[in-house]
């Protein structure tokens, strides 16, 4: 056996043991274990880290290419130095206590095990093979796996303050992964900080998608992504062309973390005057709500959400969170396109002031971005006007100033776009506002975003199609472009499938619990399918069967019913012929 074969076997063994290490670290954090078992786990952590050093060194010793200072080498160097410093800092304790140091001293060691796991797994080729699963099936399976793993993690004793049933854990994990925000137990009091951190991680993974992280890590460490993987991701996200898949995923991650970091900083500044919070609590609150807002999740570490007395009149905080979840609901591809357009306009302005020529780039702001921005603006304005008219002397009456009413009204009009945060008592809304909120929830956010619903582009295409039919036109034209027929067909499929799922959910819940108010059930089902998270104070009253129904609706709403049909039905080849066209009587 030559050296290269021994290194490859060692590398595979390191991956296996790092997976075991991650499982052990989760068990170690989630359960109160005997001291002897903790000592065994400590030894396992150190063995994993030691093996990772050997494998990392082997990558550079056995490579045939000359050593270069690239991003991967810098990552390996910095992580190695950090782990050495970490071990040195705990060395005296390890020698003195004989590997029986308190578990708090090994939190950083556990993080090092997680980093080792990501590093070793990402160094292998990641390939979505269509032989066993098509892209739609893989997409659904990835979400389902995260939901089930999240459910088990939330059931760990150290994650909750009291025992959590599997149904409630499944509901909470589904709500977090599907970035909905509906809760059956109080996030603030039922979960520990460790449990809330798990929920925050599920929200981040669910908002971006596990494939986004896996593909980026594979690209980062391997320097590329296979053609098959790019084709699969392009098909799942409806990206045009495969040449920009990796660059788009990179932009998505960079924009996401940049916006969340800025939002967390602004939230931290806006809540500096809450006397009951330590700075560590404020920091966790800021990060948690920044991630929850950008991912349109609606989870909060306050029992009353943003309606809590300490923040309900904090208008700067409302504006920060509203701006964050509107940004997240616009869609990653559209946000990147808008940012590129803004940079181009800024460059033109700078060049013009310096009497220099800037290359003209036509249609930099594409038709998707234009339709989304116009539709989003129109829906926000419609919602704001409706809330101000219907609720000015109702739920907005507590806000004495017109500015306060305007900000709270804007937040209330924007949150049905799948954000799920509430700054008013939803149970006190007037009936016209409830109906308006249902309509806004059904439309939801924009495509390729963290939000749900039928999407703004779907609604816009349906509206444009109706207007074109009323004008006697046979095609849809907007902004000097013609909408593709496949887009129209997809839009109407999404619309009727959404109503089918919502209607089925309302029927099942009403059959299981006929005593519930029907309008509250309808509101709950629209909120679940559109992954909004708003409720007319009904979620806690649901039976276990109804909770399962709502969980399924949240999952279906996140992955979309059309994707499920694509996953279940086999693609059929269309023959190279066409039948005679016939018109069907509609009305």
């Amino acid at each position: 056996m030559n050296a290269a074969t021994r290194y490859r076997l060692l590398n595979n063994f390191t991956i296996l043991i790092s997976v075991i290490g991650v499982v052990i670290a989760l068990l170690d954090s989630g359960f109160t274990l005997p001291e002897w078992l903790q000592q065994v786990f400590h030894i396992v952590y150190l063995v994993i880290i030691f093996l990772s050093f050997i494998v990392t060194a082997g990558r550079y010793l056995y490579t045939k290419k000359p050593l270069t200072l690239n991003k991967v080498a810098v990552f390996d160097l910095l992580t190695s130095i950090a782990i050495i410093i970490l071990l040195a800092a705990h060395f005296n304790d390890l020698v003195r206590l004989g590997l029986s140091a308190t578990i708090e001293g090994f939190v950083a060691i556990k993080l090092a095990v997680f980093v080792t796991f990501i590093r070793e797994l990402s160094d292998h080729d990641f390939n979505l093979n269509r032989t066993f699963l098509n892209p739609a099936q893989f997409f659904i399976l990835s979400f389902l796996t995260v939901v089930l793993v999240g459910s088990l993690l939330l059931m760990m004793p150290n994650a909750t303050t009291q025992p959590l049933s599997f149904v409630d854990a499944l509901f909470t994990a589904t709500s977090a992964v599907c970035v909905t925000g509906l809760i059956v137990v109080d996030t603030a009091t039922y979960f520990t900080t460790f449990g809330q951190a798990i929920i925050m991680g599920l929200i981040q993974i669910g908002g971006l998608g596990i494939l986004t992280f896996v593909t980026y890590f594979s690209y980062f460490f391997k320097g590329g992504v296979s053609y098959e993987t790019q084709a699969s991701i392009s098909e799942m996200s409806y990206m045009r062309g495969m040449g920009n898949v990796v660059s788009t995923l990179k932009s998505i991650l960079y924009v996401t973390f940049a916006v969340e970091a800025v939002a967390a900083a602004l939230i931290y500044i806006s809540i500096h005057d809450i006397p009951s919070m330590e700075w560590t609590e404020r920091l966790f609150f800021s990060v948690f709500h920044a991630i929850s807002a950008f991912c349109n999740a609606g989870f909060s570490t306050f029992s009353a959400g943003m309606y809590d007395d300490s923040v309900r009149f904090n208008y700067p905080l409302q504006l920060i969170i509203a701006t964050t979840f509107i940004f997240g609901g616009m869609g990653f591809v559209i946000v990147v396109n808008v940012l590129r357009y803004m940079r181009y306009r800024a460059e033109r302005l700078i060049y013009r002031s310096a009497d220099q020529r800037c290359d003209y780039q036509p249609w930099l702001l594409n038709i998707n971005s234009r339709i989304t921005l116009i539709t989003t603006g129109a829906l926000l304005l419609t919602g704001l006007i409706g809330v101000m008219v219907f609720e000015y002397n109702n739920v907005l009456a507590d806000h004495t100033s017109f500015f306060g009413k305007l900000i709270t009204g804007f937040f209330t009009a924007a949150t049905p776009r799948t954000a799920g945060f509430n700054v008013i008592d939803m149970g006190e809304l007037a009936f016209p506002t409830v109906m308006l909120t249902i309509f806004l929830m059904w439309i939801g956010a924009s495509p390729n975003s963290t939000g749900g619903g039928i999407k703004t582009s779907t609604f816009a295409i349906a509206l444009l199609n109706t207007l074109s039919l009323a004008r006697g036109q046979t095609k849809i034209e907007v902004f000097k472009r013609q909408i593709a027929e496949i887009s129209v067909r997809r839009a109407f499929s999404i619309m009727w499938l959404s109503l089918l799922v919502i209607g089925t959910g309302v029927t099942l819940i009403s059959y299981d619990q006929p005593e519930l108010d029907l309008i509250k059930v309808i509101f709950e089902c629209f909120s679940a399918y559109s992954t909004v998270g708003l409720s007319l104070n009904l979620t806690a009253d649901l039976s276990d069967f109804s909770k399962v129904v709502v969980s399924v609706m949240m999952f279906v709403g996140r992955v979309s019913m059309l994707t499920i049909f694509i996953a279940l039905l086999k693609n059929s080849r269309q023959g190279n012929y066409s039948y005679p066209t016939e018109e069907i009587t509609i009305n």
Side-chain angles (χ1 to χ4, degrees), residues 56-132:
T56 300
R59 288 192 182 96
Y60 296 97
L61 293 176
Y62 290 101
T63 182
K64 296 180 180 180
K65 299 179 181 179
L67 295 178
T68 57
L69 191 63
N70 53 27
K71 57 185 179 182
V72 179
V74 172
F75 175 87
D76 288 336
L77 178 62
L78 292 179
T79 52
S80 299
I81 293 175
I83 291 175
I84 291 174
I85 294 175
L86 178 64
L87 293 177
H90 292 289
F91 181 77
N92 291 332
D93 291 336
L94 293 175
V95 173
R96 179 170 55 86
L97 299 176
L99 293 175
S100 62
T102 57
I103 197 65
E104 287 78 8
F106 275 78
V107 173
I109 299 291
K110 295 176 189 176
L111 294 177
V113 172
F114 275 97
V115 172
T116 300
F117 165 72
I118 294 173
R119 176 66 177 93
E120 299 302 327
L121 189 65
S122 300
D123 191 62
H124 273 54
D125 291 324
F126 169 65
N127 184 26
L128 292 179
N129 195 332
R130 296 170 183 245
T131 304
F132 302 101

Side-chain angles (χ1 to χ4, degrees), residues 391 394-395 412 424-431 433-434 437 536:
E391 303 295 338
N394 188 25
V395 296
T412 305
I424 47 95
D425 185 358
M426 298 298 298
E428 297 298 322
L429 287 177
F431 185 78
T433 311
V434 172
T437 303
L536 299 180

Side-chain angles (χ1 to χ4, degrees), residues 315 318 396 399 403-413 423-424:
Y315 304 123
Q318 292 185 26
L396 299 181
H399 302 269
F403 176 77
K405 294 178 186 292
L406 184 65
I407 297 300
T408 305
F410 174 76
F411 192 103
T412 305
V423 290
I424 47 95

Side-chain angles (χ1 to χ4, degrees), residues 135-136 139 208 211-212 229-242 244-246 248-249 252 332-333 368 447-449 490 563:
F139 178 74
L208 292 177
L211 295 181
T212 301
T229 299
Q230 292 188 56
S232 299
I233 294 177
S234 177
E235 184 176 332
M236 282 185 287
S237 56
Y238 300 107
M239 294 181 186
R240 292 186 300 176
M242 293 183 295
N244 60 347
V245 169
V246 174
T248 301
L249 291 181
I252 287 173
F332 298 115
V333 177
N368 284 305
N448 287 322
S449 71
R490 186 182 293 125
T563 302

Side-chain angles (χ1 to χ4, degrees), residues 192-255:
T192 62
T193 303
F194 175 63
Q196 293 173 356
I198 293 175
I199 293 175
M200 182 171 62
L202 294 176
I203 291 172
Q204 187 73 87
I205 293 174
L208 292 177
I210 188 67
L211 295 181
T212 301
F213 289 102
V214 173
T215 304
Y216 177 76
F217 285 133
S218 177
Y219 166 78
F220 182 87
F221 291 109
K222 296 292 293 182
V225 180
S226 68
Y227 174 86
E228 186 76 16
T229 299
Q230 292 188 56
S232 299
I233 294 177
S234 177
E235 184 176 332
M236 282 185 287
S237 56
Y238 300 107
M239 294 181 186
R240 292 186 300 176
M242 293 183 295
N244 60 347
V245 169
V246 174
S247 61
T248 301
L249 291 181
K250 289 167 58 179
S251 300
I252 287 173
L253 287 175
Y254 297 159
V255 170

Side-chain angles (χ1 to χ4, degrees), residues 371-372 374-380 382 417 439-447 452-467 476 487-488 490-492 494-495 498:
I371 290 178
T372 297
I374 292 175
T375 308
T376 299
L379 291 173
L380 287 175
T382 301
R417 308 291 311 292
F439 172 71
L440 294 175
M441 289 194 301
W442 181 56
I443 297 174
S446 301
I454 64 171
K455 301 300 192 303
T456 53
S457 57
T458 300
F459 174 74
I461 289 175
L463 181 60
L464 290 171
N465 183 62
T466 303
L467 294 176
I476 305 175
S487 298
V488 180
R490 186 182 293 125
F492 279 93
I494 290 173
M495 291 175 69
S498 70

